[in-house]
């Protein structure tokens, strides 16, 4: 992934602000991802809760990304996360423009530029093929297509709308073929991930399917089993 | 401070998003505050960078507050800090409505309510006497009056505009006399803090004066020396 | 209302951004309010769609308010409404902090100050008794209590939660007894308005009940009939 | 311009929220643009203050655009401008993403889609070549490149940074060659406009240079004289 090269396919876990992923439970989730990678060889990455970032980054060796960052340089800002502090926390990059944290286009551009300077990776979320194409022009490390209607639905985007995935992959790669394309929304099983990879993506972005699973490790192992 | 009783006067350090307060340097600043409290008996509290909160909270025993929190319950939010996660991180409360993160009045109300439920403290920043009075009606643990023009100026509010401090103390106490009134903006020496306490406040909110000091410990010791 | 004294009780119509209130239909709604005032003697006021403000203000003699304004002085702003332009448009004031446009507390304070300078009235919306009390400290011309859950519900706040209305009236008047207290949310008939006035309010804030009525004039006449 | 075809080159005047462009003065500015078009044959278009839109649209026959619009359909929104109301006001389109009103990428996409449905034109502002390319993928009617540092500077972008203009034209046309490319920021004379047209743009976006001119008509005539 950009300067931080990672082996694909990759399973990226966004733990959101769930009760099940806060504090020690967040550290445990990150360690579970790390175990699954060790046991299966499938790359995993984690986006801890904002307040847990530095703590989690100290505890695991898998890539750790913040869930959102502002485009500002380090400075006199209160309650905002800047990329230099993400790096100082030992993390490797940031999610951008998640549908639960939509961003201004000028800020997406500025965060991607700043991340390149700092050798951090960026995973920008998009809601449709046009927005995927649009953000591809800004050259993030990765684009994760996540149709908002499917988030948390349990209906995998790879089944509900394979065209949006296929078209996004094609459109993004035509602009910059080194952008990794992921898909998200509704992915929860190994067969979902298998179907997604067949549509051309190089990984998935997940949240509730793992965080709220009774047994997150079993859920992750099932997901990893879908990777050929 | 509310359910989390603290001894006053208190020195609250908001480390903002400065390079000098990120990652390990943020942990060191927190430990320095703790040392100064141990050596002088003056209460200190720290507001680490958002991404360092859980890490800092594990390392020190002084009160730790996040710089900003959203009014939502734990749940499906990406890149936002919720109070349940602040608590799970081992922290004790939150700053609110800093001039670098101004908040909607309905959100200030909702965060204060949620913090009470979770037994977390709230320090709400205000920019003038009317806004101090207004927020007092929402009953935060503490109100910190910080005229925006003086932030980072090196000109202490206690000298530049003693009336705003005196009037805020009077107005706030008339509404709820258990609200701690702090002042901020431009405070950097022991004599600034002494002057502020004489105007009736019970503590100060600081940032650059300590974070950007060549010797933060010396700066804090000088500040503590102004406490009678 | 403040410097723009109006006879109470008052019926304030917020036409929102409905199809039924755009363009010529918005002008017609304003003229209908004016007719109802002429025929019944009950004061009405209207908040046209933002883009229709100057046009509507030219066509009617009843008070006309914008639905939202920013705290800035006239200047280099694009796509924002400033109070000097509201005044230049011939309008008389602004709604503030509607639950569909919640505002930062510092902006509410600044807009109220600026409106006083310009002799414009301000109607600040609030969602509960504490927020009513809080905004009262900023001394707007009027406060309209509108519990968000009841907006557009057809269930009048005066029936669903008479205490919130009574308590808001009492709390607001204790701070500044010249603030007019209105209530909104779910008011649609003369008997709703009668019940509201009996709880101590001096008027109502309405939207869909009139705008989406088959016969807005009949709806307004029915409402006016509830005024003693 | 899209479904609303206009003859190029075009001079688009954004009157912002200046005192000099509010109310009757805004109507006069629009009529002045219309006169200049009649006298010189050069197309002009105007973006009145939000509250003056319907009034201005009634008074002139040149294209009239709102300065900002939200992506929502008509409905229960307070203090926001929706495109259906822009159309009902008799206007022809909207500016988007001005640096004084930066927009989320998902909203830019949604406003452009909605505008197409309603046969309204969209002029999207951009701050650099990458953002121009990015927004081109969303296919607005027009893109106006305006480096923020030059806005209101009196230094024309065509002189200060000709490459940003040339590169934006080339990048945008490669994606959709029917997108009109304008440039803005610092343009104030006929020779500025001439230089800009030579760089490949099809018009300019102006504000203070005309609005704050002692004689706006003379300023516009001078600008028009730069059009071959």
């Amino acid at each position: 992934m950009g300067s931080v090269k990672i082996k694909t396919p990759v399973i990226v876990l966004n733990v959101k602000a769930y009760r099940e992923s806060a504090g020690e439970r967040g550290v445990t989730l990150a360690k579970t991802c790390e175990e699954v990678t060790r046991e299966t060889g499938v790359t995993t990455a984690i986006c801890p809760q904002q307040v847990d970032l530095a703590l989690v980054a100290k505890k695991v060796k898998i890539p750790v990304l913040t869930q959102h960052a502002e485009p500002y340089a380090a400075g006199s800002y209160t309650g905002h996360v800047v990329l230099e502090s993400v790096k100082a926390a030992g993390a490797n990059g940031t999610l951008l423009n998640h549908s639960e944290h939509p961003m201004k286009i000028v800020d997406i551009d500025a965060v991607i530029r700043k991340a390149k300077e700092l050798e951090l990776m960026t995973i920008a979320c998009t809601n449709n093929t046009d927005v995927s194409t649009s953000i591809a022009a800004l050259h993030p490390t990765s684009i994760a297509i996540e149709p908002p209607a499917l988030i948390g639905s349990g209906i995998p985007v790879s089944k509900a709308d394979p065209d949006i995935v296929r078209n996004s992959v094609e459109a993004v790669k035509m602009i910059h073929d080194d952008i990794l394309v992921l898909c998200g929304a509704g992915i929860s099983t190994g067969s979902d991930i298998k179907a997604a990879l067949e549509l051309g993506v190089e990984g998935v972005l997940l949240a509730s399917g793992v965080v709220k699973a009774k047994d997150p490790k079993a859920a992750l192992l099932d997901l990893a089993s879908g990777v050929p």
Side-chain angles (χ1 to χ4, degrees), chain A:
Chain A
M1 271 195 182
S3 47
V4 189
K5 289 284 178 205
I6 59 166
K7 186 168 80 78
T8 56
V10 60
I11 296 173
V12 182
L13 182 61
N14 171 15
V15 310
K16 298 199 176 180
Y18 290 120
R19 194 165 296 133
E20 293 84 356
S21 63
E24 285 307 316
R25 300 170 82 177
V27 173
T28 303
L29 273 170
K31 287 184 173 166
T32 304
C33 289
E34 195 177 39
E35 276 170 40
V36 168
T37 289
R38 201 160 46 225
E39 295 172 18
T40 65
V42 174
T43 310
T44 59
I46 193 154
C47 310
Q49 296 208 18
Q50 301 293 83
V51 294
D52 296 331
L53 190 80
L55 183 65
V56 169
K58 283 203 169 306
K59 303 279 181 158
V60 293
K61 299 231 173 329
I62 57 172
V64 174
L65 295 92
T66 191
Q67 293 177 14
H68 173 79
E70 298 295 336
Y72 328 130
S76 189
Y77 302 104
T78 293
H80 295 287
V81 174
V82 302
L83 285 175
E84 289 174 68
S85 301
V86 169
K87 181 141 189 162
N92 311 99
T94 187
L95 277 191
L96 283 184
N97 195 46
H98 191 278
S99 67
E100 292 161 7
H101 211 133
M103 288 174 68
K104 294 170 187 170
I105 191 168
V106 290
D107 289 346
I108 297 172
D109 176 50
V111 170
I112 291 171
R113 281 171 202 276
K114 189 78 188 168
K116 276 175 193 161
E117 259 175 64
L118 297 170
E119 306 200 331
L120 292 171
M121 54 177 140
T122 45
I123 301 178
C125 301
T126 65
N127 57 323
N128 63 37
T129 306
D130 283 353
V131 174
S132 295
T133 312
S134 177
I135 293 189
L138 305 175
H139 210 165
T141 318
S142 172
I143 281 177
I145 169 89
E146 279 211 317
L150 300 176
I151 292 179
S153 68
I155 305 169
V157 58
S158 41
K159 270 187 202 146
D161 194 353
D163 279 353
I164 203 178
V165 178
R166 252 190 304 253
N167 295 342
S168 279
V169 172
E170 192 183 350
V172 167
K173 295 292 185 179
M174 197 164 335
I175 295 177
H176 289 296
D177 71 3
D178 64 344
I179 296 176
L180 292 184
V181 185
L182 314 181
C183 73
I187 304 282
S188 55
T189 68
S191 79
D192 297 342
I193 218 172
K194 188 161 181 288
L197 295 173
E198 285 166 5
L199 295 170
V201 300
E202 289 150 296
V204 293
L205 178 61
L206 295 158
S208 59
V210 169
V211 176
K212 290 187 153 298
K214 269 193 198 140
D215 181 344
K217 181 160 182 189
L220 279 164
L221 286 171
D222 181 43
L223 283 156
S225 74
V227 176

